[in-house]
Amino acid sequence: TAALILASLFPESVRKLVIWNSISYITDEFMQFMEELRDVSAWRLVQLKESMQSIYGASFQSIWSEWLDAIISYRAKNKGDICTKELSKIICSTLIINGAKDPLIPCYHAEYIRDHVKGSRLEVMKEASHEPHMRSHQKFNKIVEAFLEE
């Protein structure tokens, strides 16, 4: 999402953009799902939980809770909008990647971005979940490399 904002602010500086797991607005559904995930110890998303804990260590629960609180505050302040207005300002060739089985960022977010960034294209990785760059890294890298070499 930060890459979308930067590409909209500095369109002359960005020639190609690759994003994955990005959102431009926050829905009620997303917030409800996130609140259900507040307690990391109760996560059924075992692979994601293990991945995040390996990165952030024992402090992951507090980091996660602080992130959720920040999202709640930001959502209230901006009425759910993160960068929807900025999408039309992106002029570079843009590749959007989303896992078809992503429980956190459903494909409709990627479709919205595709529909609002002129000339962008969406690659849905059929077997991928939330971490396509990690769990399906060979296919992910192949898609990205092909795009960057165009």
Side-chain angles (χ1 to χ4, degrees):
T1 303
L4 292 168
I5 295 167
L6 290 170
S8 75
L9 291 173
F10 306 102
E12 68 287 344
S13 299
V14 182
R15 292 184 319 183
K16 290 200 174 197
L17 178 63
V18 178
I19 60 167
W20 63 97
N21 300 342
S22 294
I23 61 174
S24 60
Y25 59 92
I26 304 167
T27 63
D28 290 340
E29 175 188 57
F30 179 77
M31 288 313 305
Q32 180 179 353
F33 188 64
M34 290 292 106
E35 278 298 338
E36 291 170 6
L37 295 175
R38 186 174 285 275
D39 179 5
V40 172
S41 67
W43 282 17
R44 294 180 315 236
L45 307 167
V46 178
Q47 286 183 328
L48 181 60
K49 175 181 168 180
E50 289 172 355
S51 174
M52 298 299 262
Q53 287 177 325
S54 72
I55 295 167
Y56 298 105
S59 61
F60 177 57
Q61 177 63 65
S62 64
I63 292 169
W64 179 250
S65 290
E66 289 173 17
W67 182 84
L68 285 176
D69 292 341
I71 290 293
I72 291 167
S73 175
Y74 186 89
R75 180 175 186 254
K77 182 180 176 185
N78 296 289
K79 299 180 179 140
D81 185 37
I82 298 173
C83 63
T84 58
K85 296 171 194 76
E86 287 81 1
L87 297 178
S88 65
K89 299 173 187 170
I90 298 172
I91 59 172
C92 64
S93 182
T94 302
L95 173 63
I96 305 153
I97 302 173
N98 213 91
K101 297 178 180 180
D102 189 337
L104 298 176
I105 311 291
C107 283
Y108 63 78
H109 283 286
E111 292 163 354
Y112 182 89
I113 294 168
R114 178 206 55 211
D115 293 345
H116 291 84
V117 174
K118 186 178 178 182
S120 65
R121 72 173 188 239
L122 171 60
E123 181 76 34
V124 176
M125 295 178 64
K126 303 258 185 268
E127 298 303 316
S129 185
H130 186 65
E131 300 175 317
H133 60 295
M134 294 173 68
R135 304 266 180 231
S136 305
H137 64 275
Q138 290 177 332
K139 182 176 181 181
F140 180 89
N141 289 342
K142 188 175 180 180
I143 293 167
V144 172
E145 286 174 15
F147 171 73
L148 294 175
E149 290 174 353
E150 290 176 353

